[in-house]
Amino acid sequence: MDSAQILLAVMWVGLTVYALLGGADFGGGVWDLLAGRSRSGMPQRRLIEHSIGPVWEANHVWLIFVLVVLWTGFPLAFASVMSTLYIPLTLAALGIIARGAAFAFRKASTELWQQRLFGGAFALSSVLTPFFLGTVAGGIASARVPPGLAAGDVVGSWLNPTSLLGGVLAVLVCAYLAAIYLCDDAARSRTPELAEGFRRRALVAAAVTGAVALGGIAVLHWDAPRLFSGLTHRALPLVVLSAVLGIASIVLLWLRRHLLVRAAAVLAVAAVMWGWPVAQYPAMLPPALTYREAAAAPVVTTTVLVVAGVGALLVLPSLVWLFLLQRRMPYDADASH
């Protein structure tokens, strides 16, 4: 295994963690949008704020890590993706900025109209940002990003059936993860009404996500035959594992095994995340550009690996401690009023 291959795997670990943590933050915004009117939806919104408040900025560390590794370790792929898919990437970046600003300002606002304004911006950007990130993934996976500066269609590369499927699935998966995490948080905080509410939302999100994923098989077969072939051959074990874990999460939700369903959901999404690169390996930009062709010189990829290792030793303990502290701070429904 060469340094470029190891670096690619490390980068994908970072992307998977971002999907599992940052994705759930986006999903919290989806449920914030669907919580209802100001008064009736206040308990749900307070729980969402409590759950993501301490960690929402820290989760974007993983996205920054992925972008830096892609830029330094695979510069040709980075330049190709950024120049061809600059429209959805710019919209996603604006969504991340607007979402963070709105989340902070809503918490500091005292007037109801201000809270509604910033709450609407937070919720809407929480839907649009993962959608645009999903369209980027769909454009790459469907072989619409050729190597070279702006070598692909800057509109058709992300406005196509596979990209739209990727965008919708990204939003649904974020909502699914968030509902499961929030259900667990509410159960630990001994607020059974909120736990039951998010349990029902998680069941609905799981059913809708599964239905869209099944329908997406036909879309991939028609629009992205290379990806479809890889998912139904080399990556089939991961696809099957994801489906089994998804069904298991529904059963565990039904049985109210909140901690176990959290683990099952995380593993189900992680299996899907790893199914994509396995399906198209060794291509980094399908159909032709391999990770070796896209990689920087071996001395660069080795140096990036060393720096990433040192950074992990410094940063990961702090992040783990942050999440442990968050789990030790149960939601106090009375104090939130």
Side-chain angles (χ1 to χ4, degrees), residues 52-306:
I52 71 176
V55 297
W56 66 277
E57 287 182 303
N59 287 335
H60 289 301
V61 168
W62 298 104
L63 179 60
I64 295 168
F65 170 76
V66 169
L67 291 175
V68 170
V69 170
L70 182 62
W71 172 38
T72 54
F74 304 93
L76 178 56
F78 179 87
S80 303
V81 170
M82 294 295 165
S83 58
T84 293
L85 295 169
Y86 74 90
I87 295 176
L89 286 169
T90 300
L91 293 172
L94 291 174
I96 290 173
I97 295 168
R99 180 178 180 273
F103 181 76
F105 284 129
R106 183 176 70 172
K107 203 170 184 66
S109 298
T110 56
E111 299 292 332
L112 181 60
W113 70 268
Q114 293 175 336
Q115 293 176 350
R116 285 176 172 172
L117 174 65
F118 292 126
F122 167 71
L124 184 60
S125 57
S126 295
V127 175
L128 294 179
T129 302
F131 175 79
F132 287 123
L133 291 175
T135 63
V136 169
I140 297 171
S142 60
R144 288 182 165 92
V145 184
L149 288 176
D153 186 339
V154 297
V155 176
S157 59
W158 63 280
L159 283 180
N160 59 77
T162 302
S163 287
L164 295 177
L165 173 65
V168 172
L169 278 175
V171 175
L172 290 174
V173 168
C174 289
Y176 163 69
L177 284 174
I180 286 175
Y181 293 0
L182 289 166
C183 180
D184 180 42
D185 288 348
R188 287 189 298 104
S189 301
R190 298 182 180 179
T191 51
E193 300 85 0
L194 288 175
E196 278 300 299
F198 282 110
R199 173 177 166 271
R200 290 191 295 270
R201 291 171 172 83
L203 287 169
V204 172
V208 174
T209 303
V212 172
L214 287 174
I217 295 174
V219 175
L220 294 181
H221 185 270
W222 167 61
D223 189 61
R226 288 178 178 270
L227 177 62
F228 176 82
S229 177
L231 290 172
T232 54
H233 290 86
R234 179 186 295 167
L236 185 59
L238 287 170
V239 174
V240 172
L241 177 62
S242 178
V244 170
L245 288 168
I247 294 171
S249 71
I250 294 175
V251 173
L252 291 168
L253 268 173
W254 191 263
L255 298 175
R256 296 176 175 81
R257 304 297 297 272
H258 302 298
L259 185 59
L260 289 177
V261 73
R262 191 167 185 150
V266 164
L267 293 174
V269 174
V272 170
M273 289 290 299
W274 282 83
W276 171 20
V278 170
Q280 69 178 40
Y281 183 83
M284 193 166 186
L285 291 181
L289 185 69
T290 67
Y291 75 90
R292 284 193 175 93
E293 294 168 334
V299 64
V300 176
T301 54
T302 301
T303 302
V304 173
L305 279 172
V306 172

